[in-house]
Amino acid sequence: MDQADDAALRGLRVVFLSWRDTRNPEGGGAERALEEVARGLVERGAQATIFCASHAGAPPEEVIDGVRFVRRGSKLTVYPQGMSSLLRGLLGKADVVVDVQNGMPFFSRLVSRKPIIVLVHHVHREQWPVVYPGLTGRIGWWVESWFAPRLYRAQQYVTGSRATRDELGRLGVDVNRIAVVHYGAERQPRLGVAKTTHPSICVVGRLVPHKQVEHAIDAAADLRRELPGLTLTVVGSGWWEGTLHAYVEARGYSDFVEFTGHIDEAHREEIYERSWVLALPSLKEGWGLVVGEAALAGTPAVAYSAAGGTRESILDGVSGLLIDGGYPAFVAALRRVLTDETLRAHLSAGALEAGRRFTWEHTRDRFADVVARVARGERVATLDEQPDRDYSVEP
């Protein structure tokens, strides 16, 4: 950012509307990115408020790292409460509103005429029928795919990947109003934990249906026929966790599948370092923060390219493998990494190098630049170019 942008941010009041924060049991990478950019604005002299849903153990209001959190409502009522709080000025005066569209927007355009930034981590086309089968899912997809692009047609958009930008463009969002800001990865102190002596896979993230953790579980079971000592560690929690436990127990997989639940960052780093490969069978990813976290531990990732953001967070054949196919291809890719020591060493080195290129400092700086320009009334269309980045894997 230049000095003019820094000056424009001093004293600027930015209100974020998001249904979750990172302390919410259902919070994940999207919320981590949100709080990183909010902290970046505070570091540059702005005032940042995050409005989100209430959850057990969290106070209604608190300030963390200079960011004010206001928690009201539930997973569903947070939307009308957010609109009401913004309209009535309960979040303070806002110079810029960031409406986080996690499938459903906050409809902030209906109650505010301040500049609005619509932050979209990824498009939920595939997730609506999985999470909300039937009419509810169809209505949700109609709001996301038809109503929201028209409601916010004159507003600025920000997303974490070119894949999501392209999807938004196909929904009718003007790509000249979409800024791509890639997400970073947390640089935890390396613990120096050695890789396991037996083949090992880890899955890290929220335990919800669209993450398709069952694919990793079944793949581990299939591969154990060739690699008898193979283990799978599943890190994270979520409302699908009980279903996954039952899935493992019913099939007799408990002897090689471990669920850690929600763990601290040091324990997560230990698992990244000791694992041979990260499995990311998710149906959709805006970016895939776990890819960068694993990469910094020298652990490559295997993911479906159709997930979208993985086509940018993973360099195919360099820092991991991208799969253009279904479950059999996913198993085959994991087999390659687990059985080919030369390939695994190559991908591990590539993952370390790729992981170092994506930093939260860069993310905070680019997002702050977008906010400053939007506050001045500018339209921003940027493609976040990383040094030496090869986008040849894009469709």
Side-chain angles (χ1 to χ4, degrees):
M1 292 184 62
D2 58 32
Q3 292 182 348
D5 286 336
D6 268 342
L9 289 171
R10 293 190 192 104
L12 194 74
R13 297 161 298 195
V14 183
V15 171
F16 294 80
L17 303 174
S18 172
W19 84 261
R20 297 181 303 216
D21 64 342
T22 56
R23 290 154 189 82
N24 190 307
E26 293 194 51
E31 289 68 46
R32 176 60 190 276
L34 169 66
E35 292 176 21
E36 286 287 347
V37 298
R39 279 195 290 270
L41 293 173
V42 170
E43 290 170 358
R44 291 161 175 80
Q47 300 174 29
T49 297
I50 295 178
F51 177 89
C52 56
S54 301
H55 52 92
E61 295 192 28
E62 65 178 325
V63 176
I64 303 174
D65 296 333
V67 179
R68 177 189 177 209
F69 287 79
V70 178
R71 301 184 179 95
R72 301 286 190 276
S74 64
K75 181 176 181 178
L76 296 179
T77 64
V78 66
Y79 295 98
Q81 292 228 25
M83 291 176 66
S84 173
S85 297
L86 186 64
L87 178 63
R88 296 162 59 195
L90 301 181
L91 305 177
K93 292 184 178 179
D95 298 309
V96 176
V97 176
V98 181
D99 191 322
V100 183
Q101 182 176 302
N102 198 334
M104 188 68 64
F106 275 79
F107 307 101
S108 53
R109 180 75 290 175
L110 298 176
V111 297
S112 176
R113 287 296 174 262
K114 295 296 183 179
I116 292 175
I117 296 173
V118 184
L119 177 57
V120 179
H121 299 294
H122 62 84
V123 175
H124 294 69
R125 179 194 303 270
E126 298 86 352
Q127 286 160 260
W128 282 110
V130 173
V131 180
Y132 295 105
L135 180 61
T136 300
R138 291 196 295 272
I139 292 173
W141 175 237
W142 175 81
V143 171
E144 182 179 12
S145 65
W146 191 90
F147 184 73
R150 287 158 179 78
L151 178 64
Y152 296 99
R153 60 184 175 275
Q155 308 309 310
Q156 177 68 46
Y157 277 71
V158 175
T159 188
S161 69
R162 291 183 171 200
T164 302
R165 179 208 59 175
D166 293 345
E167 281 193 87
L168 288 170
R170 289 192 289 272
L171 295 181
V173 178
D174 180 4
V175 293
N176 294 311
R177 293 183 179 273
I178 304 175
V180 176
V181 178
H182 286 145
Y183 300 149
E186 181 65 20
R187 272 135 177 83
Q188 290 295 320
R190 291 294 297 273
L191 302 176
V193 176
K195 298 295 183 185
T196 57
T197 56
H198 59 272
S200 52
I201 304 170
C202 67
V203 173
V204 182
R206 288 188 300 120
L207 302 186
V208 290
H210 70 268
K211 296 294 184 179
Q212 300 188 139
V213 177
E214 292 89 342
H215 287 211
I217 294 170
D218 289 342
D222 288 343
L223 290 168
R224 274 177 65 87
R225 299 187 182 99
E226 307 164 44
L227 305 165
L230 185 149
T231 59
L232 170 67
T233 303
V234 180
V235 178
S237 60
W239 63 271
W240 198 244
E241 187 172 356
T243 302
L244 291 173
H245 278 272
Y247 188 87
V248 167
E249 291 170 7
R251 287 158 178 76
Y253 296 163
S254 299
D255 59 329
F256 64 89
V257 178
E258 175 192 7
F259 290 93
T260 69
H262 182 75
I263 58 176
D264 61 29
E265 293 181 348
H267 190 185
R268 190 169 67 244
E269 173 64 22
E270 176 189 344
I271 291 170
Y272 279 135
E273 289 188 24
R274 78 186 190 203
S275 299
W276 288 21
V277 63
L278 169 74
L280 184 60
S282 181
L283 189 64
K284 201 64 169 290
E285 289 289 337
W287 176 251
L289 293 186
V290 295
V291 171
E293 293 174 353
L296 289 168
T299 302
V302 171
Y304 291 119
S305 64
T310 53
R311 295 198 295 269
E312 291 157 60
S313 58
I314 298 173
L315 292 176
D316 188 28
V318 177
S319 65
L321 298 179
L322 288 170
I323 310 308
D324 292 317
Y327 173 77
F330 185 70
V331 177
L334 286 172
R335 179 185 291 109
R336 285 183 61 199
V337 177
L338 293 170
T339 59
D340 188 333
E341 186 174 355
T342 301
L343 173 64
R344 193 165 63 251
H346 167 73
L347 294 177
S348 177
L352 275 170
E353 178 61 26
R356 295 187 182 110
R357 297 178 183 176
F358 299 101
T359 68
W360 284 123
E361 291 80 8
H362 176 85
T363 305
R364 291 192 292 264
D365 189 64
R366 294 301 297 269
F367 190 87
D369 175 67
V370 174
V371 172
R373 293 171 63 181
V374 168
R376 293 198 298 262
E378 298 179 19
R379 178 178 65 182
V380 187
T382 60
L383 299 180
D384 194 353
E385 298 286 359
Q386 292 285 348
D388 304 318
R389 187 75 171 124
D390 178 11
Y391 287 99
S392 60
V393 297
E394 288 194 35

